[in-house]
């Protein structure tokens, strides 16, 4: 670390204080990981208090007047006195600090209470399919989110302020361009696939008659994540109800997975997805540990790494060629006579459905498009929350061609809005688009097919490390994409990828 | 909690601050537990830093001048203004605070550095059987321990100051009386056992030819800890290289265990021992959570709970009667034709040996006696550290009748002194003595044999809850023993127990 500092005393002092905030954050991550993996049921309330206390300590440090003085010491941060890394550190601190410094404590506490209650009501409302019960709580969350956006500040659109929390530098206008480009194209492809001769949404391999023993699935996932060069001396894979990746320390990046006996795909794709996140975190320069450059730069770039491994690699024909012999060995009963083309098909079944988390590559971003449009419109007061179920159905019909019969499968399906996470959804699509654009570039530099077919994934990781991982949060997403691919984010790479891949699979014209 | 306070504002403010220290302590326990159970190898260094940071935060809070002012507000703590609980809280804070307030920060840091290095050297010196390598480090640890004792203060003997850290209220004089009483008697019994017709130190059941599958041992341990009424909704059992119990939260008391395929006894006794600790912690009054009355009162009383379940119950004939049919069912290959008397024998083989941690009930306290004598003499400068190997051999011969051939099996066997834990060893023996005295009392109030024989262990737990567990750290050990048994700690109960039990097993006269 010292090597990248110009020994600017203001920055040394600032980083000293930041290091404590970083330590507390990682300690909180240990609590969170343990909560999701190991917690005895009666310990839940106590753990919430422990974690809340750490959050309180971290908040105190952000609000500490000495710390703020150091951050605001403008004269120390001129280009002559600081390095590129130092400039980025200050930028990142100012970006993260905006929330603590601009949003009044009372509003943060109100928001936390309102969303806690909204989350509980949402769980019940979803189970009972009663949107009306959730509506008043959703309204409160929207109102407070708008207030937070006002406090954070923005140039054109209050939604910009929220989006920027998750994907620094991205605006509503960027999202409009992106979704405006991909939505009509993807909707067209879906129609074509549905009309194609080869259209099938289910496979006898995963209809529940075949059993894929959970212990075997664990071993298989272990094989794959080792092939991906996930460093298990600095990580581990456990079980949780929702898979996730957590950074507990610079050399302690853990993933979780889940298993379904009737279908081996979920645990395989889950392992690859989470390992994609973990490899990113494991690849950040060691010198960035405990500084504002530590960890992945944004949710979108993070998702690009998980989606890259899950989709660009895991769902490629080359990877199917690689794993098919292994699958036959691990699951001799169910997959004895399988061919790699069957596995490839199975991994890429397109099925327009109601549920985002179960969506295939073609429909996934359409689910996001409708969520982006709805939430942007809500934050700007152009839609009324009570009309959401109807708006949802209309857009589902228009974009994906299916209409959920219940709100549980519609407007109530996702947890995000109950938690007040407006501005989060677009990062999923950004991840998919970044991944396609990165892959295009990677293909021009390394022999992707030949390596993947042999299960030789090391050159891929080396490329990702060199071009993306090592930088941590040094470059913001827009800068990074330009640096890696030589141009700005362009949705055409994703569309080309989808068209080319699915035209072949479904013999489209 | 509020119900036991007289709403004395000084105490309310004090407990507010103490609650944060307690939270940080439990959070640190989460880190420690995870470190011993789950940590990826490369994460060790980072975890040490995270934990050290929490220790630093806790120390800052102990040294906080506002906190000290509240503790020293003498006039607030008169008997007219405070309850029994409040008085005990102040007493406990003052006791724990003595270390922070009396020992200068520089000495604490020196001690921490010296013991860290001594620990590393000890590991190597033990592996290579080279006491001379460890000697200079041990000398430094002794010197600093003496300095700490001087800073802490004492009446008669600097060793008192160290002992009091682990067992509040106990003195060197108390230990002298205890070991002076039990050592000659136990040494005599050992001799008789060795001369007895029935003397045997090994059993064909555990000679390595029988295999006790580890998965089965886990299930068996699970059966037993459930019988003991360990609340697994507020705890869990995992694996670690050394079994331990950790309190991560008031409803999160976890134990670990370890397994050896050739011998089912270690995991069975380990489970009962650790569950004994866990039941104590689970039984502390809920209102004490986060206060200075939380948790077990001392190492000795804690050990009385683990030894009670391990020895007084787990190694009793009644318990052998209860588990024998289960053992036969779980381990049909190895134990098909076993009788309860065989199991009882096997659980109570006496084998004078070099290693404390492998010692039986009869020899165990003799290992402690020699350690107490040596460390007390070292702290007072009456022995020279370079003579320890020889002193060790002499005392082993005199007390237990065996002489280790190497220092690895002698003076170098235990970790404690490298860590500077002088004053800790006697608490093991105190635990055994308390357990025997408590059991005697318990027998006069509940039908122990009949219940244990049926595996009906609930009445025992109810008795322990009522008489010991609920009080947490309200009563110090000496008070507690008197309250529970009506008299002071008396080693005769332990000696009676040992004599009566082993006279029968070995047909002694």
């Amino acid at each position: 670390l010292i090597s990248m500092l110009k020994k600017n005393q203001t920055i040394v002092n600032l980083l000293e204080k930041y290091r404590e905030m970083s330590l507390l954050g990682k300690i909180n991550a240990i609590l969170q990981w343990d909560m999701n993996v190991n917690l005895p049921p009666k310990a839940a309330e106590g753990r919430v208090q422990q974690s809340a206390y750490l959050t309180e300590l971290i908040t105190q440090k952000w609000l500490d007047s000495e710390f703020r003085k150091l951050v605001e010491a403008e004269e120390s941060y001129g280009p002559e006195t600081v390095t590129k890394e130092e400039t980025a550190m200050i930028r990142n601190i100012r970006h993260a600090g905006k929330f603590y410094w601009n949003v009044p404590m009372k509003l943060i506490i109100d928001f936390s209470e309102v969303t806690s209650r909204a989350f509980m009501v949402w769980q019940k409302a979803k189970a009972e399919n009663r949107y009306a019960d959730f509506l008043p709580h959703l309204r409160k969350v929207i109102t407070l989110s708008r207030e937070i956006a006002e406090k954070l500040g923005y140039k054109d659109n209050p939604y910009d302020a929220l989006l920027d929390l998750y994907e620094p530098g991205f605006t509503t206008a960027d999202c409009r361009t992106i979704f405006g480009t991909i939505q009509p194209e993807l909707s067209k492809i879906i129609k074509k696939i549905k009309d194609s001769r080869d259209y099938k949404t289910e496979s006898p391999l995963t209809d529940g008659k075949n059993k894929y023993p959970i212990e075997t699935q664990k071993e298989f996932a272990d094989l794959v994540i080792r092939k991906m060069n996930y460093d298990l001396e600095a990580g581990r894979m456990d079980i949780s109800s929702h898979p996730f990746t957590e950074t507990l320390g610079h050399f302690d990046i853990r993933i979780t997975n889940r298993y379904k006996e009737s279908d081996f795909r979920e645990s395989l794709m889950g392992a690859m997805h989470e390992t994609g996140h973990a490899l990113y975190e494991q690849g950040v320069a060691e010198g960035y540990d405990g500084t504002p450059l530590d960890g992945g730069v944004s949710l979108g770039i993070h998702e690009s790494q998980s989606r890259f491994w899950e989709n660009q690699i895991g769902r490629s024909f080359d990877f199917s060629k690689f794993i098919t012999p292994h699958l036959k060995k691990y699951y001799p009963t169910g997959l004895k006579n399988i061919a790699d083309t069957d596995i490839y098909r199975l991994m890429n079944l397109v099925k327009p459905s109601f549920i985002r988390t179960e969506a295939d590559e073609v429909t996934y971003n359409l689910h996001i498009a409708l969520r982006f449009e709805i939430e942007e419109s809500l934050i700007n007061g152009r839609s009324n929350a009570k009309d959401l179920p109807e708006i949802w159905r209309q857009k589902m019909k228009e974009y994906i061609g299916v209409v959920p019969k219940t709100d549980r499968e519609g407007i109530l399906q996702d947890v995000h809005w109950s938690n007040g996470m407006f501005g989060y959804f677009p990062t999923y699509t950004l991840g998919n688009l970044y991944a396609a654009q990165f892959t295009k570039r990677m293909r021009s530099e390394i022999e992707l097919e030949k390596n993947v077919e042999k299960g030789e994934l090391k050159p891929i990781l080396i490329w990702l490390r060199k071009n993306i991982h090592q930088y941590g949060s040094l470059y913001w997403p827009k800068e990074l994409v330009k640096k890696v691919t030589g141009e700005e984010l362009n949705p055409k790479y994703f569309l080309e990828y989808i068209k080319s891949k699915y035209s072949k699979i479904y013999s489209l014209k």
Side-chain angles (χ1 to χ4, degrees), chain A residues 141-385:
Chain A
V141 178
I142 296 167
T143 305
L144 292 181
S145 297
R146 258 191 232 140
E147 273 184 51
I148 288 172
E150 291 303 327
K151 295 293 179 188
L152 289 169
Y154 53 86
K155 223 177 103 208
D156 299 320
N157 188 323
Y159 186 74
D160 288 349
L162 304 176
L163 193 56
D164 187 71
L165 292 174
Y166 302 106
E167 200 68 8
F170 265 81
T171 63
T172 316
D174 294 325
C175 288
R176 284 224 179 91
T177 308
I178 288 165
F179 289 111
T181 309
I182 64 174
Q183 181 268 312
E185 294 286 326
L186 291 172
S187 295
K188 247 188 272 172
I189 298 171
I190 300 281
K191 272 217 190 79
K192 279 194 193 173
I193 290 176
K194 281 170 98 173
D195 293 342
S196 78
R197 219 181 38 189
D198 295 346
Y199 182 58
K200 250 192 315 192
T201 59
E202 307 292 345
S203 158
L205 295 170
T206 52
D207 64 359
K209 278 180 208 120
N210 279 317
K211 299 280 180 233
Y212 303 94
I214 295 200
E215 279 310 311
T216 314
Q217 289 193 47
K218 279 188 205 164
E219 285 166 31
F220 199 83
D222 191 69
L223 170 89
V224 171
I225 66 180
R226 283 174 195 275
K227 277 280 162 198
M228 289 169 71
N229 298 287
Y230 175 35
D231 183 358
L232 283 160
E233 300 255 292
R236 46 184 291 138
M237 178 168 65
D238 294 271
I239 295 178
S240 66
S241 58
H242 296 279
F244 67 96
T245 303
E246 190 90 56
T247 296
L248 291 73
H250 191 81
F251 290 102
D252 196 357
I253 322 274
R254 305 185 188 179
I255 66 168
T256 67
N257 203 357
R258 65 177 164 192
Y259 302 89
K260 196 160 79 182
E261 210 184 16
S262 60
D263 194 342
F264 65 90
R265 290 174 302 176
E266 183 173 321
S267 69
L268 172 58
M269 290 294 100
M272 293 187 79
H273 181 100
E274 299 307 330
T275 300
H277 285 301
L279 290 174
Y280 186 13
E281 294 281 310
Q282 287 192 332
V284 175
E286 197 180 336
Y288 291 180
D289 184 18
T291 77
L293 303 185
D294 203 5
V297 67
S298 72
L299 289 181
I301 298 293
H302 238 301
E303 200 70 7
S304 81
Q305 298 307 296
S306 54
R307 298 291 170 115
F308 167 79
W309 285 101
E310 179 187 354
N311 292 336
Q312 300 285 339
I313 302 298
R315 290 197 162 91
S316 69
F317 184 49
D318 310 304
F319 193 75
S320 289
K321 281 199 260 184
F322 163 62
I323 52 161
T324 300
H326 294 285
L327 285 170
K328 289 165 82 160
K329 206 179 86 194
Y330 277 72
Y331 307 114
T333 335
L335 303 180
K336 200 167 47 185
N337 300 314
I338 210 78
D340 48 20
T341 45
D342 300 322
I343 294 295
Y344 183 51
R345 263 279 165 141
L346 186 64
M347 303 304 279
N348 291 289
L349 284 177
V350 173
K351 183 187 177 188
S353 77
F354 310 134
I355 308 299
R356 175 184 61 85
T357 56
E358 296 167 5
D360 54 84
E361 283 187 284
V362 186
T363 49
Y364 190 89
N365 298 294
L366 295 168
H367 288 276
I368 302 300
L370 86 87
R371 282 161 180 76
F372 159 68
E373 289 167 22
I374 288 174
E375 64 182 23
E376 191 273 332
S377 156
L378 284 173
I379 291 299
N380 280 286
R382 295 196 314 274
S383 312
N384 189 325

Side-chain angles (χ1 to χ4, degrees), chain A residues 447-464:
Chain A
E447 292 231 52
L448 210 47
E449 290 84 353
K450 244 202 317 207
N451 281 310
V452 172
E453 197 182 311
K454 287 184 296 181
E456 186 49 72
L457 308 178
K458 190 78 185 235
I460 297 176
L461 181 59
I462 291 170
W463 191 92
L464 293 171

Side-chain angles (χ1 to χ4, degrees), chain A residues 455-475:
Chain A
E456 186 49 72
L457 308 178
K458 190 78 185 235
I460 297 176
L461 181 59
I462 291 170
W463 191 92
L464 293 171
R465 288 267 145 101
K466 179 169 157 275
N467 289 283
I468 299 167
H469 297 178
Q470 63 162 322
Y471 297 122
S473 300
L474 181 62
Y475 302 110

